[in-house]
Amino acid sequence: MLRKSPIQVIDKAVTLLRIISDLKQGASALELSKLSGLDRTTVHRILKSLIVWDLVIHEDGMFKSGPESLFYSTRYLNRLNIRRVALPFMVEIQKLLTDKQAVISLSIPVREHVVLIERIWTQLTPLNVLMDLSDQYPIEKIPSGLAMLATFTPEQCLNILDDKRYKDIEPRLLQIRAAQGFCIGANEQRLGLSSVAYPVINLRGEGVGALVIAGLDAEHELSLNSPLAGHLKRACENISGQLNYL
């Protein structure tokens, strides 16, 4: 959802940065003006400032995300205890899947998106499956995001999603709560890929992350009553407990 700060030029700069980050090949100033709704002169002026700080680079007439963006994101990730706490549990789950084609991932919510911050996989997992998986998705389009949204109140969800997007997923959120937090998915990240997600929660019971086990043609292994689902739940509960202790 659109947010506004007290300083409009910051809103405009962030808007451009977010648009550019979503475009793998970048965009021209004219394209950015159309996509952002900003005057082309304003776009040029902001881009010049962003280039000074390496937040944006200009190559072959196209504006793209710059290396400075990586500096901030890695610093933020290094500060997150969730990544450090979760990794041993992810490795333990991986050991249970040595004969499977499977991926275990950790995601966190970033406004209306889910961003994957850690991923491990079994040796049998085909490389093309890993290459096809993105590192960010709309929060309501993927099991990890839905598992986290199901821990929020309707008011909190509406601070993230607009009314239509929330109403579209409200029945599924009810199903997830009825399933005690589990979200089962199929073919949402990739054709043939089944998944089960469970949230990591803070002391207020709000989802601050989610673990997902995803496997090729693994509907039975990833059902709600499967041993893997039980392992996933215990892992997330342990992660939640350690994070809340810290």
Side-chain angles (χ1 to χ4, degrees), residues 180-193:
Q180 299 182 332
F182 285 107
C183 181
I184 300 293
N187 304 317
E188 289 167 308
Q189 294 170 272
R190 185 186 188 277
L191 189 63
L193 199 67

Side-chain angles (χ1 to χ4, degrees), residues 133-146:
L133 298 177
S134 176
D135 59 1
Q136 56 182 272
Y137 297 88
I139 194 169
E140 80 279 18
K141 298 293 186 181
I142 192 169
S144 58
L146 289 165

Side-chain angles (χ1 to χ4, degrees), residues 22 48 51 53 64 80 90 100-101 110 112 122 127 139 143 155 158 174-175 179 185 191 209 240:
D22 285 338
K48 286 181 180 179
I51 288 171
W53 291 100
K64 307 173 185 178
L80 286 182
M90 296 172 68
K100 308 292 183 184
Q101 300 178 23
V110 181
E112 70 271 26
T122 61
L127 181 60
I139 194 169
E155 292 75 20
L158 287 169
L174 293 174
Q175 292 175 354
L191 189 63
S240 299

